[in-house]
Amino acid sequence: MYYMSEQKTILMILNQKFLPDIRVEQEYEALIKNGYRVFVVANEDGFNNKNYEIIRLNPFARWSQIFNLSLSYNPILKNLIVHELKIRGIKDVDIIHVHDLLWSFLGLQLKKHYKGKLIIDLHENYPEAIYHFQYQQYCCQHHNTCQKRKNNLT
């Protein structure tokens, strides 16, 4: 096992529930084995496990979704995360790892606060999703396929 002279702190931010999430669990365990201290920020859903340091956020349901969907910065969440880490004795975060596009601006604000590195790791192919969404809208507008689908359902 590799040990660092000074333990570095990683903050992983998820846009979904944590535990279970196999991709994050494997990453978390690998980082711990390599001497990092890791915190996962996730919503209130999910299971708790004493082997994981999890900061559960009540994402202020509607307000947080509005901020995230507009891809803008939510100062309430940033301040809440900083406060939760301070309670746990964490003053510095070396790496902020954001797993989802919707939380990227929150990650950027935390990077500025902690002066750490920021990783935005997108697991979805957003350009492709936007392309398909636009294609579906085009088809519905120009070929009346939405009306045909609706008629088939009734």
Side-chain angles (χ1 to χ4, degrees):
M1 181 185 288
Y2 171 75
Y3 291 99
M4 291 178 269
S5 58
E6 185 179 312
Q7 190 176 39
K8 296 200 179 256
T9 302
I10 297 177
L11 182 65
M12 289 198 285
I13 303 174
L14 309 177
N15 193 36
Q16 70 272 349
K17 70 180 181 179
F18 177 64
L19 289 181
D21 186 329
I22 192 66
R23 67 187 167 110
V24 179
E25 291 173 55
Q26 290 175 343
E27 181 180 346
Y28 186 101
E29 291 165 10
L31 290 167
I32 294 295
K33 282 182 186 176
N34 283 287
Y36 292 93
R37 185 166 183 194
V38 182
F39 291 90
V40 176
V41 175
N43 66 31
E44 288 184 328
D45 294 336
F47 302 105
N48 288 321
N49 182 319
K50 65 180 180 176
N51 296 323
Y52 295 91
E53 294 191 77
I54 304 170
I55 297 174
R56 297 268 181 216
L57 295 180
N58 170 357
F60 304 96
R62 305 232 187 278
W63 283 107
S64 182
Q65 290 171 2
I66 290 168
F67 277 112
N68 290 333
L69 291 175
S70 67
L71 295 178
S72 59
Y73 161 58
N74 183 345
I76 297 169
L77 288 179
K78 181 206 137 210
N79 294 337
L80 184 60
I81 292 167
V82 169
H83 175 74
E84 288 293 323
L85 287 171
K86 191 181 282 186
I87 289 172
R88 292 166 170 83
I90 302 299
K91 296 178 184 171
D92 294 313
V93 174
D94 300 290
I95 300 169
I96 295 103
H97 181 180
V98 178
H99 282 266
D100 303 283
L101 178 65
L102 296 178
W103 292 86
S104 59
F105 285 96
L106 174 62
L108 184 59
Q109 292 304 312
L110 287 164
K111 176 199 181 319
K112 289 178 182 177
H113 178 86
Y114 288 112
K115 302 192 180 5
K117 294 179 181 178
L118 175 64
I119 299 168
I120 301 175
D121 183 12
L122 305 178
H123 301 278
E124 296 80 12
N125 186 343
Y126 283 100
E128 191 68 18
I130 290 169
Y131 169 78
H132 284 290
F133 176 74
Q134 289 172 339
Y135 177 77
Q136 285 177 340
Q137 283 188 325
Y138 173 82
C139 288
C140 287
Q141 290 172 354
H142 292 75
H143 300 289
N144 205 15
T145 55
C146 289
Q147 186 60 42
K148 289 177 185 174
R149 282 189 207 141
K150 185 178 176 185
N151 291 338
N152 288 337
L153 294 174
T154 57

